[in-house]
Amino acid sequence: SSSDGQRSLMRMIRNSSRTLFDLNVNTGILPLKSAGVSDTVINVMMDIWEKQRKLHDRNIRMYIQFLRTDRLEEYDRALRELVAYRAYAVPLLIENLRNEDERIRAGCSEALGRITAPESIDSLFQAITDRNQAVRWKAARAISMFGSRKDLVERLAVELGRPGQHRDGFALALGYIGDLRTLKEIVDLAKDPSAGEGQAAAAYALGLLGQPTPEVLGVLKEDVLDYPM
């Protein structure tokens, strides 16, 4: 009967995973109408979906606040819950990359790195120059999770050579990615004593790249460690 069908649809919606409840016109309403589902049933479905949307938004915001905890087990749980929401959590995670609490900014960067949604890349590039070092390093690791895409590697290399900003994150991201095409740029930063934390990050990136050429060893000993060969 139609009532049985309606109850079946409602059970399906309530039991659906957190990443499947977001009904919209293109992927939801039109196919339902084409299948002959009545407006009454569609309205009921939309009402349930809207309630779920609000519930999940509230949960995501709650777990984002948990990222400020000093307890590792609580932090890990919050991170797992956020990542489980996948693309649905991305807008709120991006929004909180501007949160006043650096622990939240760092945690959101890490979550975005695990989700690897393309729409988060530009925001992570902004986070990689954050005033807080922990945020920069989390953003660097997050960007590296997108892999050795040519456009990302080239963008990182350009920013690495741009003075007047924090560059340690760009060096770390390139080191994590492991793309040897940027070896020269990383070596140049490691040679620069005025780069501060960028010089140390470049040295670490060289270690990640694992290319113990005479030039690399010379830079690490003479420029970074100040130990003449």
Side-chain angles (χ1 to χ4, degrees):
S1 66
S2 60
S3 60
D4 290 339
Q6 179 173 327
R7 285 195 293 270
S8 177
L9 282 170
M10 292 173 67
R11 283 196 300 271
M12 177 192 71
I13 295 168
R14 291 193 181 101
N15 295 330
S16 64
S17 75
R18 67 186 69 189
T19 57
L20 295 179
F21 67 85
D22 193 15
L23 186 66
N24 60 61
V25 172
N26 292 326
T27 63
I29 296 177
L30 294 181
L32 288 173
K33 287 188 174 182
S34 299
V37 178
S38 71
D39 289 342
T40 300
V41 173
I42 290 176
N43 288 337
V44 171
M45 294 174 69
M46 291 298 295
D47 181 62
I48 296 172
W49 249 281
E50 178 63 17
K51 290 177 181 177
Q52 286 184 318
R53 184 191 65 78
K54 291 179 180 178
L55 172 64
H56 290 303
D57 277 357
R58 184 166 63 249
N59 288 343
I60 290 169
R61 293 183 187 278
M62 176 185 68
Y63 287 122
I64 286 175
Q65 292 303 311
F66 283 169
L67 293 173
R68 70 175 74 225
T69 181
D70 293 324
R71 298 180 61 182
L72 182 59
E73 64 274 16
E74 290 181 356
Y75 176 87
D76 286 342
R77 182 195 171 194
L79 196 62
R80 287 195 305 270
E81 293 290 344
L82 289 168
V83 172
Y85 278 101
R86 305 300 301 172
Y88 189 79
V90 169
L92 288 173
L93 290 170
I94 290 175
E95 175 186 314
N96 278 278
L97 289 178
R98 299 185 298 274
N99 193 287
E100 63 181 14
D101 192 316
E102 64 271 10
R103 294 168 297 180
I104 289 180
R105 299 199 304 274
C108 288
S109 295
E110 184 170 0
L112 288 169
R114 296 192 184 189
I115 295 171
T116 60
E119 61 267 30
S120 68
I121 290 176
D122 287 342
S123 297
L124 286 171
F125 264 90
Q126 294 177 12
I128 207 172
T129 59
D130 193 275
R131 62 185 180 275
N132 180 269
Q133 186 184 68
V135 177
R136 297 196 299 273
W137 289 11
K138 290 285 190 180
R141 192 71 179 100
I143 289 175
S144 75
M145 300 301 288
F146 288 86
S148 57
R149 288 173 34 178
K150 183 180 179 182
D151 60 326
L152 287 183
V153 171
E154 290 178 350
R155 186 173 177 182
L156 288 166
V158 168
E159 295 296 336
L160 184 69
R162 198 189 305 277
Q165 63 178 356
H166 294 291
R167 292 185 283 170
D168 52 337
F170 299 113
L172 287 175
L174 289 169
Y176 288 133
I177 291 172
D179 194 314
L180 295 178
R181 290 174 295 180
T182 60
L183 180 62
K184 180 183 181 302
E185 287 83 355
I186 297 174
V187 166
D188 288 343
L189 183 60
K191 290 179 179 179
D192 185 356
S194 67
E197 56 207 359
Q199 186 181 34
Y204 186 75
L206 290 174
L208 292 172
L209 291 175
Q211 293 293 304
T213 64
E215 180 185 20
V216 169
L217 292 176
V219 168
L220 292 176
K221 290 182 177 180
E222 295 182 16
D223 295 282
V224 179
L225 297 178
D226 195 26
Y227 179 75
M229 296 181 68

PDB file of all heavy atoms in Angstrom, residues 91-111:
ATOM      1  N   PRO A  91      32.780  22.248   4.220  1.00  0.00           N
ATOM      2  CA  PRO A  91      32.528  23.696   4.365  1.00  0.00           C
ATOM      3  C   PRO A  91      32.768  24.213   5.782  1.00  0.00           C
ATOM      4  O   PRO A  91      33.360  25.286   5.965  1.00  0.00           O
ATOM      5  CB  PRO A  91      31.059  23.839   3.950  1.00  0.00           C
ATOM      6  CG  PRO A  91      30.807  22.689   3.040  1.00  0.00           C
ATOM      7  CD  PRO A  91      31.618  21.560   3.610  1.00  0.00           C
ATOM      8  N   LEU A  92      32.339  23.462   6.796  1.00  0.00           N
ATOM      9  CA  LEU A  92      32.539  23.912   8.174  1.00  0.00           C
ATOM     10  C   LEU A  92      34.005  23.807   8.578  1.00  0.00           C
ATOM     11  O   LEU A  92      34.506  24.646   9.351  1.00  0.00           O
ATOM     12  CB  LEU A  92      31.671  23.098   9.122  1.00  0.00           C
ATOM     13  CG  LEU A  92      30.168  23.402   9.051  1.00  0.00           C
ATOM     14  CD1 LEU A  92      29.375  22.425   9.906  1.00  0.00           C
ATOM     15  CD2 LEU A  92      29.889  24.834   9.485  1.00  0.00           C
ATOM     16  N   LEU A  93      34.708  22.809   8.074  1.00  0.00           N
ATOM     17  CA  LEU A  93      36.139  22.702   8.361  1.00  0.00           C
ATOM     18  C   LEU A  93      36.893  23.871   7.734  1.00  0.00           C
ATOM     19  O   LEU A  93      37.780  24.458   8.361  1.00  0.00           O
ATOM     20  CB  LEU A  93      36.679  21.371   7.837  1.00  0.00           C
ATOM     21  CG  LEU A  93      36.216  20.125   8.586  1.00  0.00           C
ATOM     22  CD1 LEU A  93      36.612  18.870   7.826  1.00  0.00           C
ATOM     23  CD2 LEU A  93      36.791  20.090  10.005  1.00  0.00           C
ATOM     24  N   ILE A  94      36.559  24.209   6.506  1.00  0.00           N
ATOM     25  CA  ILE A  94      37.199  25.351   5.835  1.00  0.00           C
ATOM     26  C   ILE A  94      36.899  26.642   6.589  1.00  0.00           C
ATOM     27  O   ILE A  94      37.789  27.473   6.809  1.00  0.00           O
ATOM     28  CB  ILE A  94      36.722  25.448   4.370  1.00  0.00           C
ATOM     29  CG1 ILE A  94      37.297  24.298   3.543  1.00  0.00           C
ATOM     30  CG2 ILE A  94      37.113  26.794   3.766  1.00  0.00           C
ATOM     31  CD1 ILE A  94      36.796  24.250   2.116  1.00  0.00           C
ATOM     32  N   GLU A  95      35.651  26.802   6.995  1.00  0.00           N
ATOM     33  CA  GLU A  95      35.264  28.001   7.752  1.00  0.00           C
ATOM     34  C   GLU A  95      36.114  28.155   9.005  1.00  0.00           C
ATOM     35  O   GLU A  95      36.533  29.263   9.364  1.00  0.00           O
ATOM     36  CB  GLU A  95      33.789  27.901   8.114  1.00  0.00           C
ATOM     37  CG  GLU A  95      33.260  29.014   8.997  1.00  0.00           C
ATOM     38  CD  GLU A  95      31.824  28.758   9.419  1.00  0.00           C
ATOM     39  OE1 GLU A  95      31.010  28.382   8.553  1.00  0.00           O
ATOM     40  OE2 GLU A  95      31.524  28.927  10.616  1.00  0.00           O
ATOM     41  N   ASN A  96      36.417  27.041   9.663  1.00  0.00           N
ATOM     42  CA  ASN A  96      37.145  27.093  10.931  1.00  0.00           C
ATOM     43  C   ASN A  96      38.657  27.121  10.759  1.00  0.00           C
ATOM     44  O   ASN A  96      39.384  27.142  11.757  1.00  0.00           O
ATOM     45  CB  ASN A  96      36.725  25.933  11.825  1.00  0.00           C
ATOM     46  CG  ASN A  96      35.439  26.224  12.562  1.00  0.00           C
ATOM     47  OD1 ASN A  96      35.435  26.879  13.596  1.00  0.00           O
ATOM     48  ND2 ASN A  96      34.328  25.772  11.984  1.00  0.00           N
ATOM     49  N   LEU A  97      39.141  27.160   9.525  1.00  0.00           N
ATOM     50  CA  LEU A  97      40.556  27.452   9.312  1.00  0.00           C
ATOM     51  C   LEU A  97      40.870  28.899   9.675  1.00  0.00           C
ATOM     52  O   LEU A  97      42.038  29.278   9.780  1.00  0.00           O
ATOM     53  CB  LEU A  97      40.948  27.188   7.853  1.00  0.00           C
ATOM     54  CG  LEU A  97      41.013  25.722   7.413  1.00  0.00           C
ATOM     55  CD1 LEU A  97      41.358  25.641   5.929  1.00  0.00           C
ATOM     56  CD2 LEU A  97      42.027  24.945   8.237  1.00  0.00           C
ATOM     57  N   ARG A  98      39.821  29.694   9.897  1.00  0.00           N
ATOM     58  CA  ARG A  98      39.985  31.090  10.329  1.00  0.00           C
ATOM     59  C   ARG A  98      39.591  31.269  11.804  1.00  0.00           C
ATOM     60  O   ARG A  98      39.472  32.405  12.275  1.00  0.00           O
ATOM     61  CB  ARG A  98      39.148  32.015   9.445  1.00  0.00           C
ATOM     62  CG  ARG A  98      39.530  31.981   7.981  1.00  0.00           C
ATOM     63  CD  ARG A  98      38.757  33.001   7.175  1.00  0.00           C
ATOM     64  NE  ARG A  98      37.324  32.747   7.207  1.00  0.00           N
ATOM     65  CZ  ARG A  98      36.685  31.926   6.379  1.00  0.00           C
ATOM     66  NH1 ARG A  98      37.357  31.265   5.452  1.00  0.00           N
ATOM     67  NH2 ARG A  98      35.372  31.754   6.457  1.00  0.00           N
ATOM     68  N   ASN A  99      39.387  30.153  12.498  1.00  0.00           N
ATOM     69  CA  ASN A  99      39.032  30.226  13.915  1.00  0.00           C
ATOM     70  C   ASN A  99      40.155  30.894  14.704  1.00  0.00           C
ATOM     71  O   ASN A  99      41.329  30.744  14.373  1.00  0.00           O
ATOM     72  CB  ASN A  99      38.782  28.809  14.451  1.00  0.00           C
ATOM     73  CG  ASN A  99      38.100  28.806  15.805  1.00  0.00           C
ATOM     74  OD1 ASN A  99      38.702  29.128  16.825  1.00  0.00           O
ATOM     75  ND2 ASN A  99      36.828  28.435  15.813  1.00  0.00           N
ATOM     76  N   GLU A 100      39.811  31.616  15.748  1.00  0.00           N
ATOM     77  CA  GLU A 100      40.825  32.310  16.545  1.00  0.00           C
ATOM     78  C   GLU A 100      41.720  31.346  17.330  1.00  0.00           C
ATOM     79  O   GLU A 100      42.827  31.701  17.738  1.00  0.00           O
ATOM     80  CB  GLU A 100      40.164  33.297  17.502  1.00  0.00           C
ATOM     81  CG  GLU A 100      39.253  32.636  18.523  1.00  0.00           C
ATOM     82  CD  GLU A 100      38.582  33.632  19.456  1.00  0.00           C
ATOM     83  OE1 GLU A 100      38.611  34.838  19.154  1.00  0.00           O
ATOM     84  OE2 GLU A 100      38.035  33.191  20.481  1.00  0.00           O
ATOM     85  N   ASP A 101      41.255  30.124  17.544  1.00  0.00           N
ATOM     86  CA  ASP A 101      42.022  29.121  18.295  1.00  0.00           C
ATOM     87  C   ASP A 101      42.916  28.340  17.336  1.00  0.00           C
ATOM     88  O   ASP A 101      42.419  27.651  16.442  1.00  0.00           O
ATOM     89  CB  ASP A 101      41.072  28.178  19.026  1.00  0.00           C
ATOM     90  CG  ASP A 101      41.783  27.305  20.054  1.00  0.00           C
ATOM     91  OD1 ASP A 101      42.870  26.777  19.738  1.00  0.00           O
ATOM     92  OD2 ASP A 101      41.261  27.153  21.170  1.00  0.00           O
ATOM     93  N   GLU A 102      44.234  28.421  17.533  1.00  0.00           N
ATOM     94  CA  GLU A 102      45.157  27.749  16.614  1.00  0.00           C
ATOM     95  C   GLU A 102      45.017  26.227  16.665  1.00  0.00           C
ATOM     96  O   GLU A 102      45.310  25.542  15.677  1.00  0.00           O
ATOM     97  CB  GLU A 102      46.606  28.145  16.912  1.00  0.00           C
ATOM     98  CG  GLU A 102      47.138  27.736  18.270  1.00  0.00           C
ATOM     99  CD  GLU A 102      46.876  28.786  19.338  1.00  0.00           C
ATOM    100  OE1 GLU A 102      46.117  29.742  19.050  1.00  0.00           O
ATOM    101  OE2 GLU A 102      47.436  28.644  20.455  1.00  0.00           O
ATOM    102  N   ARG A 103      44.552  25.690  17.804  1.00  0.00           N
ATOM    103  CA  ARG A 103      44.368  24.241  17.891  1.00  0.00           C
ATOM    104  C   ARG A 103      43.241  23.787  16.974  1.00  0.00           C
ATOM    105  O   ARG A 103      43.320  22.711  16.353  1.00  0.00           O
ATOM    106  CB  ARG A 103      44.093  23.821  19.335  1.00  0.00           C
ATOM    107  CG  ARG A 103      45.263  24.031  20.270  1.00  0.00           C
ATOM    108  CD  ARG A 103      44.848  23.875  21.724  1.00  0.00           C
ATOM    109  NE  ARG A 103      43.871  24.884  22.115  1.00  0.00           N
ATOM    110  CZ  ARG A 103      43.333  24.985  23.328  1.00  0.00           C
ATOM    111  NH1 ARG A 103      43.679  24.123  24.269  1.00  0.00           N
ATOM    112  NH2 ARG A 103      42.444  25.934  23.616  1.00  0.00           N
ATOM    113  N   ILE A 104      42.204  24.583  16.874  1.00  0.00           N
ATOM    114  CA  ILE A 104      41.110  24.261  15.966  1.00  0.00           C
ATOM    115  C   ILE A 104      41.567  24.406  14.521  1.00  0.00           C
ATOM    116  O   ILE A 104      41.256  23.560  13.670  1.00  0.00           O
ATOM    117  CB  ILE A 104      39.884  25.148  16.253  1.00  0.00           C
ATOM    118  CG1 ILE A 104      39.248  24.719  17.585  1.00  0.00           C
ATOM    119  CG2 ILE A 104      38.869  25.066  15.120  1.00  0.00           C
ATOM    120  CD1 ILE A 104      38.020  25.516  17.974  1.00  0.00           C
ATOM    121  N   ARG A 105      42.328  25.458  14.223  1.00  0.00           N
ATOM    122  CA  ARG A 105      42.815  25.634  12.853  1.00  0.00           C
ATOM    123  C   ARG A 105      43.703  24.458  12.441  1.00  0.00           C
ATOM    124  O   ARG A 105      43.609  23.945  11.325  1.00  0.00           O
ATOM    125  CB  ARG A 105      43.595  26.948  12.722  1.00  0.00           C
ATOM    126  CG  ARG A 105      42.779  28.190  13.026  1.00  0.00           C
ATOM    127  CD  ARG A 105      43.405  29.458  12.464  1.00  0.00           C
ATOM    128  NE  ARG A 105      44.767  29.701  12.907  1.00  0.00           N
ATOM    129  CZ  ARG A 105      45.098  30.334  14.032  1.00  0.00           C
ATOM    130  NH1 ARG A 105      44.151  30.743  14.864  1.00  0.00           N
ATOM    131  NH2 ARG A 105      46.367  30.549  14.343  1.00  0.00           N
ATOM    132  N   ALA A 106      44.560  24.024  13.353  1.00  0.00           N
ATOM    133  CA  ALA A 106      45.451  22.902  13.052  1.00  0.00           C
ATOM    134  C   ALA A 106      44.662  21.614  12.864  1.00  0.00           C
ATOM    135  O   ALA A 106      44.907  20.839  11.926  1.00  0.00           O
ATOM    136  CB  ALA A 106      46.482  22.737  14.166  1.00  0.00           C
ATOM    137  N   GLY A 107      43.695  21.370  13.751  1.00  0.00           N
ATOM    138  CA  GLY A 107      42.896  20.159  13.652  1.00  0.00           C
ATOM    139  C   GLY A 107      42.053  20.113  12.389  1.00  0.00           C
ATOM    140  O   GLY A 107      41.927  19.055  11.748  1.00  0.00           O
ATOM    141  N   CYS A 108      41.487  21.245  12.021  1.00  0.00           N
ATOM    142  CA  CYS A 108      40.696  21.298  10.788  1.00  0.00           C
ATOM    143  C   CYS A 108      41.580  21.060   9.567  1.00  0.00           C
ATOM    144  O   CYS A 108      41.151  20.414   8.596  1.00  0.00           O
ATOM    145  CB  CYS A 108      39.981  22.643  10.682  1.00  0.00           C
ATOM    146  SG  CYS A 108      38.601  22.827  11.834  1.00  0.00           S
ATOM    147  N   SER A 109      42.802  21.552   9.613  1.00  0.00           N
ATOM    148  CA  SER A 109      43.738  21.285   8.519  1.00  0.00           C
ATOM    149  C   SER A 109      44.001  19.791   8.389  1.00  0.00           C
ATOM    150  O   SER A 109      43.997  19.230   7.286  1.00  0.00           O
ATOM    151  CB  SER A 109      45.070  22.026   8.760  1.00  0.00           C
ATOM    152  OG  SER A 109      44.892  23.424   8.736  1.00  0.00           O
ATOM    153  N   GLU A 110      44.210  19.142   9.530  1.00  0.00           N
ATOM    154  CA  GLU A 110      44.468  17.699   9.498  1.00  0.00           C
ATOM    155  C   GLU A 110      43.260  16.935   8.964  1.00  0.00           C
ATOM    156  O   GLU A 110      43.408  16.005   8.155  1.00  0.00           O
ATOM    157  CB  GLU A 110      44.833  17.198  10.887  1.00  0.00           C
ATOM    158  CG  GLU A 110      45.198  15.725  10.904  1.00  0.00           C
ATOM    159  CD  GLU A 110      45.788  15.252  12.220  1.00  0.00           C
ATOM    160  OE1 GLU A 110      45.929  16.079  13.144  1.00  0.00           O
ATOM    161  OE2 GLU A 110      46.113  14.051  12.321  1.00  0.00           O
ATOM    162  N   ALA A 111      42.070  17.310   9.399  1.00  0.00           N
ATOM    163  CA  ALA A 111      40.859  16.633   8.921  1.00  0.00           C
ATOM    164  C   ALA A 111      40.692  16.814   7.415  1.00  0.00           C
ATOM    165  O   ALA A 111      40.360  15.859   6.699  1.00  0.00           O
ATOM    166  CB  ALA A 111      39.640  17.175   9.658  1.00  0.00           C
TER     167      ALA A 111
END
